Amino acid sequence: MAVSIKSAKEIELMRESNKRLAEVHLAMEQLIKPGVTTWELDEFAERMIRNMGCVPNFKNYEGYPATVCCSVNDEVVHGIPSKTRYLKEGDIISLDMGLIYKGFHSDAARTHGVGKVSPEVQQLMDVTKQSFFEGIKYAVAGHHLHEIGNAIDDYVTPFGYGIVYDLTGHGVGHKLHEDPAIPNYRSRSKGIRLKAGMTLAVEPMITMGTADVEWLDDNWTVVTADGSWAAHYENTILVTDQEPEILSML
Ligand code: MF3
Ligand code: CO
């Protein structure tokens, strides 16, 4: 496993790529309301990304047909935008997307409530987001990769939630998916030693039920096996000798 270390120049381009992605996420947040289709959200994101002179990196990735993964309620990740999927009050939607700027990939996901959501579902979203911040406390040069997932697990498990096992975070930069895979759950092994200049996409996927997931017949959409709702939160970060820099947040 070769984990790339980005140079100062490459880090600058990663910053720019992720800053643009963060802007798209912020703009999209305003569009989340009852009656909007996931197709419309995808069209908006693609237009905004291309207007910035950037390229959506999910589109055509292993045949993925859209710019954004729009995963609603029991859909965990990789939901395909649809002209007939209307958001309704109380739903939750994970928007996952990335872009390429001067050859450098960014990747980030947010889960939003549609209108007013139940307190239970709000807690799921809050815990999922916080678990990312708990995990990246250990994304520091000299620490080991699996400390991230251990910290996520220690934080999330007491809530009785499921941590998806079948999907992980990943290195990101020259490509959308680089080494290493980054589990969001406790591992026996320590994992590689982290070094300054690694750029990582840390992305906990958390369910209100069990961790088991299934793939729909479209071969993309990942849903919970038990129908429980799921949330997803992701940022691209830069490992340094101190706190990580969260590149995909403004
Ligand atoms: N953000 C997703 C991941 O984390 C990528 C989605 S797969 C794609 O790795 F095909 F849609 F790009
Ligand atoms: Co990712």
Side-chain angles (χ1 to χ4, degrees):
M1 181 166 67
V3 178
S4 67
I5 304 293
K6 274 72 178 182
S7 68
K9 171 79 187 144
E10 291 171 333
I11 288 168
E12 204 37 58
L13 295 170
M14 286 295 288
R15 282 197 186 100
E16 286 300 321
S17 179
N18 280 282
K19 179 167 167 277
R20 282 162 177 73
L21 178 60
E23 284 167 4
V24 182
H25 265 299
L26 282 178
M28 285 185 80
E29 193 173 345
Q30 310 305 315
L31 305 179
I32 306 292
K33 34 176 105 65
V36 75
T37 64
T38 54
W39 183 274
E40 290 166 326
L41 297 174
D42 187 77
E43 277 193 326
F44 174 88
E46 179 166 6
R47 197 174 325 116
M48 186 167 171
I49 289 169
R50 294 199 191 277
N51 283 343
M52 292 169 155
C54 300
V55 176
N57 54 0
F58 290 12
K59 197 154 196 175
N60 302 318
Y61 180 87
E62 293 182 6
Y64 186 72
T67 293
V68 189
C69 295
C70 297
S71 309
V72 181
N73 300 344
D74 65 320
E75 298 169 356
V76 184
V77 286
H78 305 169
I80 299 175
S82 159
K83 286 180 177 167
T84 59
R85 184 79 197 229
Y86 292 88
L87 297 185
K88 56 182 196 307
E89 181 92 15
D91 284 350
I92 57 171
I93 179 168
S94 152
L95 299 176
D96 186 1
M97 63 187 160
L99 59 81
I100 310 171
Y101 169 79
K102 295 190 180 171
F104 284 83
H105 290 253
S106 48
D107 186 7
R110 308 277 183 261
T111 300
H112 301 291
V114 181
K116 209 171 149 39
V117 301
S118 74
E120 293 78 15
V121 167
Q122 186 62 49
Q123 179 183 277
L124 171 74
M125 291 194 290
D126 293 344
V127 168
T128 302
K129 180 174 179 179
Q130 185 58 30
S131 75
F132 163 85
F133 289 96
E134 297 297 326
I136 68 160
K137 288 179 183 170
Y138 298 89
V140 175
H143 281 262
H144 287 87
L145 180 68
H146 293 169
E147 291 179 64
I148 298 172
N150 293 349
I152 292 172
D153 199 326
D154 287 347
Y155 177 70
V156 168
T157 299
F159 290 94
Y161 294 150
I163 302 173
V164 174
Y165 271 65
D166 289 347
L167 298 145
T168 63
H170 51 92
V172 56
H174 305 287
K175 296 185 295 180
L176 173 58
H177 290 147
E178 298 181 354
D179 285 338
I182 307 173
N184 295 303
Y185 42 83
R186 180 163 283 283
S187 306
R188 286 170 186 281
S189 59
K190 293 198 293 188
I192 59 162
R193 187 184 287 271
L194 296 172
K195 297 198 180 104
M198 290 180 175
T199 46
L200 307 175
V202 177
E203 51 178 320
M205 291 153 266
I206 309 296
T207 84
M208 292 174 80
T210 69
D212 300 331
V213 297
E214 291 170 358
W215 271 257
L216 296 186
D217 288 338
D218 62 21
N219 284 321
W220 279 105
T221 313
V222 179
V223 298
T224 60
D226 61 8
S228 64
W229 286 17
H232 178 205
Y233 187 83
E234 173 182 29
N235 281 304
T236 298
I237 65 167
L238 169 69
V239 177
T240 75
D241 293 320
Q242 282 126 38
E243 280 188 10
E245 188 177 326
I246 303 175
L247 301 179
S248 53
M249 245 173 58
L250 289 177

